Amino acid sequence: MCFGKCAKCIGYKLLIFAVFCMVANILLYFPNGETRYASEYRLSKYTRCLHGIVGGGLLIFIPAAVFISLEHENCCGCGGHENCGKSCAMLSSVLAAFIGILGSGYCIIISALGLSHGPYCLASTENAWIYPFHNSSGEYLLERNRWSECQEPRNIVEWNVTLFSILLFLGGVEFILCSIQVINGFIGGVYEMCCHHCF
């Protein structure tokens, strides 16, 4: 059966998505490539949550590494049975998948909140640094004529919407892949146990 190969494929995909999440989160810190907003703490509070770096990035590296190693994992045995290492490895991958689910879930939640709350910017209506769209419940996303209310950083609404949307999508894909591995790891572990009579 190809449970290990499936896990390895999922692992490599997770590695790619984790790198993209980290890059997208880092870009949120530098609107239009400018560093001064980060140094002046004039960024959305959701940007500072590190949801792409930690949640969608570092916490995804753990299950990715475990999944990639599964195809040829057959060490140590399990419960005194030398041939049952593969079964234990597959079942342990379920725990790693739950770590990935937690990380990607965090990335999804913060990205959704970042989109709903809107950017922190110098608003033309108040002539102050505020969240001009925080009471709109995300409706500002469909009202492009209001985006000009943010005067500084330039094009900050487009910047935030694009990057938070990318992080939301990537976090969703990571969540799905880790959920698939929960099922794959459980079925694969039970299958190996039955084949090698690891009882």
Side-chain angles (χ1 to χ4, degrees), residues 53-184:
I53 294 172
V54 176
L58 297 178
L59 286 178
I60 295 298
F61 284 142
I62 297 169
V66 172
F67 300 164
I68 289 169
S69 69
L70 280 179
E71 186 179 9
H72 303 294
E73 182 68 59
N74 195 20
C75 64
C76 304
C78 183
H81 299 272
E82 290 184 6
N83 294 324
C84 301
K86 186 96 170 184
S87 171
C88 285
M90 289 300 292
L91 290 173
S92 67
S93 76
V94 174
L95 296 176
F98 278 119
I99 294 173
I101 286 172
L102 287 174
S104 58
Y106 176 64
C107 184
I108 291 168
I109 291 168
I110 298 300
S111 297
L113 288 172
L115 280 171
S116 175
H117 211 69
Y120 182 68
C121 64
L122 180 61
S124 58
T125 53
E126 303 282 337
N127 198 29
W129 288 85
I130 59 169
Y131 292 94
F133 309 118
H134 76 283
N135 288 325
S136 72
S137 300
E139 291 179 10
Y140 78 95
L141 294 168
L142 303 174
E143 301 170 344
R144 289 185 63 103
N145 58 311
R146 292 190 59 198
W147 291 9
S148 58
E149 290 179 22
C150 279
Q151 295 182 320
E152 192 181 343
R154 183 172 48 87
N155 300 322
I156 186 60
V157 180
E158 292 88 336
W159 189 265
N160 271 25
V161 167
T162 300
L163 292 172
F164 275 119
S165 296
I166 289 171
L167 285 163
L168 183 64
F169 171 76
L170 292 174
V173 174
E174 289 173 343
F175 188 91
I176 291 168
L177 289 174
C178 288
S179 299
I180 290 172
Q181 182 53 32
V182 168
I183 299 167
N184 179 56

Side-chain angles (χ1 to χ4, degrees), residues 25 29 44-52 54 106 110:
N25 198 162
Y29 275 86
S44 165
K45 60 185 176 183
Y46 297 109
T47 296
R48 300 191 297 270
C49 288
L50 302 177
H51 58 295
V54 176
Y106 176 64
I110 298 300

